Amino acid sequence: MLRITGIIVLLLGMLSPTPVAAADPPAETPIKHFLMLMQENHSFDNYFGTYPNADGLPADTCMPFDPLQVSLGCVAPFHLGDLPVSDLLHSRDTFEGQYRDGRMNGFVSQHLAEGGLHSQEVARLTMGYYDDRDLPFYWDVARNYVLFDKFFGSAAAGSFLNHMYWVSGGPGDPDHDSPPAAGFGPEVQTIFDRLDEAGISWKFYVQNYDASINYRTVATAGAKAAQVVFVPLLNFNRFLDNPRLFSHIVDMDQYYTDLRDGTLPTVAYMAPLGSSEDPPGSIQAGQRFVETIVNGLMRSDYWDSSAFMLTYDSWGGWYDHVEPPQVDTLGYGFRVPALLVSAYARQGATNSTALDYTSVLKFIEANWRLRPLANRDAAATSIVTAFDFTQPPRPPAFLAVSSEGAPRAEPNRPVLYAAYAAAVVVALLLMLVATGPGLRARAASRRAQRGRR
């Protein structure tokens, strides 16, 4: 009987949902784990221009082929649906030509000017948009959590400068929107340096990560060359040459292992390499990628103490009607989609605070009492207004890429685990009852045999 009791205790221990991990460093808010994923190349109007109660596409919008000769015609916003799309131009020159000193009327004409021959079809694409038919998961997230409709790119440029603002609060090399030939030295600090100095755990999760690809080897990286843009730390000599620091950059699979094993870091950045939504990539594949990340967090024991944020690294050349504030010579760029998912996120809220990537740094720095990295994050407005810490954490609303109707409620995990445990115990007791007479009969038979000897 003692042996069976021990088995029951072991099984109950295996069913325990409590992760075993070192205590998190203290935080200023209930958010003890902050996760952020940066996708690629879409503007706010391109994804949420028709979302109710957000600053979306103005009525009667029509973008001229030539702002100086409006009689030549214009392109009105149109639903893209399943139409094939191209990777639109989105360099600093593209921004300047589309922005036109705040007139915001060069979105089509700049593509015509930069694209040369055969560019009219691509130029028209810039006015295309998606809606809830194409982005059901993201729209459901917005309905249940927080959508930001004044979240701007930090730099009026392409991917790399914005990724640098994301991790360092500055451009790194303001003259080049590409990884530097010699990498970055200690003069450029990152949020991960601050976290490391404070003894706060962190990781950089990378989809389809290839540890051999960095700025030194990118020339032979082929299709995976984007990894050095999406993961800025791969351009820092100290992160490449220090095995301890380098070990913090891991494959995306490790995220799910960390959720399961109770080893989720305090701060985690995430980068796609395959599901980035960068045109002509699949927005459906991107949604499924994000859905898996979000629902994994919701099913874990970290839900009540975590926040997940999704944003995009630039507007990608798509139309956006809101003039970005010009805070310095490099930014802001046009608006990008941004969503916050958390047990403490305001429910179904549209947040219209002017923010950029350094607003996320501001939140991390304030929440864990870290020094600012640069002028931008020091002066930034935090994303903290998107949370409501006066209310208890609310249960997750499980969403799906092809969701219809109300979100699915997840069963209460502690009750579910207790039910599993009770079922195991009852099954074992029934086994004991069923086998008890047989055991007693065999024991009596053995005693009788010993007596005959």
Side-chain angles (χ1 to χ4, degrees):
M1 187 67 184
L2 288 175
R3 182 179 179 185
I4 294 172
T5 302
I7 293 172
I8 294 173
V9 171
L10 176 62
L11 288 169
L12 290 174
M14 292 171 63
L15 289 169
S16 172
T18 304
V20 179
D24 290 331
E28 292 292 308
T29 74
I31 303 302
K32 298 179 175 65
H33 303 274
F34 186 84
L35 319 172
M36 185 176 181
L37 169 68
M38 185 174 277
Q39 292 282 77
E40 301 291 310
N41 296 335
H42 289 279
S43 71
F44 183 89
D45 278 343
N46 179 240
Y47 266 20
F48 290 99
T50 60
Y51 186 82
N53 303 317
D55 189 355
L57 293 163
D60 302 323
T61 296
C62 202
M63 189 59 48
F65 286 108
D66 185 344
L68 301 179
Q69 299 185 64
V70 294
S71 61
L72 295 178
C74 59
V75 183
F78 63 96
H79 178 230
L80 284 164
D82 294 328
L83 291 175
V85 296
S86 303
D87 188 11
L88 303 179
L89 301 168
H90 51 278
S91 67
R92 175 73 189 192
D93 287 342
T94 307
F95 172 85
E96 294 292 352
Q98 293 182 329
Y99 177 65
R100 295 195 74 242
D101 294 322
R103 289 185 287 271
M104 303 289 289
N105 60 0
F107 284 86
V108 171
S109 61
Q110 183 61 25
H111 273 89
L112 290 171
E114 286 192 78
L117 296 175
H118 313 297
S119 61
Q120 188 169 103
E121 183 177 347
V122 174
R124 289 176 179 273
L125 278 178
T126 192
M127 299 303 294
Y129 66 83
Y130 299 103
D131 60 22
D132 57 337
R133 292 168 288 181
D134 317 296
L135 302 165
F137 177 73
Y138 292 155
W139 279 51
D140 274 352
V141 169
R143 293 184 188 107
N144 287 277
Y145 297 99
V146 176
L147 170 68
F148 299 90
D149 70 353
K150 292 293 187 299
F151 199 100
F152 298 91
S154 294
S159 294
F160 190 70
L161 285 181
N162 280 305
H163 277 90
M164 286 301 297
Y165 274 104
W166 182 39
V167 301
S168 71
D173 179 359
D175 296 325
H176 299 93
D177 193 13
S178 59
F184 291 114
E187 72 282 358
V188 180
Q189 291 288 292
T190 73
I191 190 62
F192 307 107
D193 293 297
R194 292 284 191 271
L195 293 167
D196 210 61
E197 291 166 3
I200 297 171
S201 60
W202 64 272
K203 282 181 182 172
F204 205 124
Y205 298 109
V206 187
Q207 184 190 29
N208 299 319
Y209 177 50
D210 187 333
S212 70
I213 297 175
N214 54 64
Y215 85 91
R216 300 166 183 166
T217 62
V218 69
T220 59
K224 282 194 171 184
Q227 180 173 283
V228 301
V229 174
F230 298 172
V231 189
L233 298 190
L234 297 176
N235 301 279
F236 284 76
N237 292 308
R238 63 183 174 280
F239 287 97
L240 296 176
D241 297 332
N242 183 324
R244 183 183 64 81
L245 293 177
F246 188 66
S247 70
H248 287 256
I249 308 171
V250 296
D251 190 83
M252 195 70 212
D253 288 346
Q254 184 64 41
Y255 166 67
Y256 304 101
T257 300
D258 288 337
L259 288 178
R260 182 196 66 202
D261 294 348
T263 53
L264 190 71
T266 298
V267 175
Y269 275 36
M270 300 174 173
L273 200 65
S275 302
S276 71
E277 301 169 38
D278 184 11
S282 167
I283 59 175
Q284 285 76 26
Q287 286 183 98
R288 287 192 293 271
F289 175 57
V290 178
E291 176 203 5
T292 304
I293 293 170
V294 170
N295 286 350
L297 181 65
M298 288 179 171
R299 289 190 176 95
S300 77
D301 293 297
Y302 291 106
W303 169 248
D304 288 352
S305 61
S306 298
F308 169 83
M309 185 149 182
L310 168 70
T311 189
Y312 290 71
D313 73 345
S314 83
W315 85 110
W318 301 98
Y319 173 66
D320 194 83
H321 78 279
V322 173
E323 180 183 353
Q326 296 305 287
V327 298
D328 57 32
T329 57
L330 286 177
Y332 293 150
F334 297 122
R335 291 185 305 170
V336 295
L339 295 160
L340 177 73
V341 179
S342 173
Y344 294 96
R346 297 182 185 276
Q347 189 166 4
T350 298
N351 187 299
S352 297
T353 309
L355 305 167
D356 76 316
Y357 311 126
T358 67
S359 300
V360 178
L361 294 176
K362 184 80 167 190
F363 174 79
I364 295 171
E365 291 159 357
N367 201 41
W368 284 283
R369 297 169 299 281
L370 305 174
R371 291 178 294 116
L373 289 157
N375 291 334
R376 275 281 196 98
D377 56 311
T381 301
S382 171
I383 63 168
V384 73
T385 56
F387 295 97
D388 182 0
F389 295 124
T390 66
Q391 301 294 323
R394 56 192 175 98
F398 279 75
L399 312 171
V401 169
S402 59
S403 62
E404 294 181 2
R408 295 174 286 122
E410 180 74 354
N412 184 286
R413 286 193 300 274
V415 173
L416 188 61
Y417 290 131
Y420 288 161
V424 172
V425 171
V426 170
L428 288 170
L429 290 174
L430 290 174
M431 289 170 60
L432 287 173
V433 171
T435 59
L439 289 172
R440 289 194 292 273
R442 286 193 290 273
S445 176
R446 286 195 294 272
R447 287 195 298 272
Q449 290 174 2
R450 285 197 295 271
R452 286 195 293 270
R453 294 194 191 104

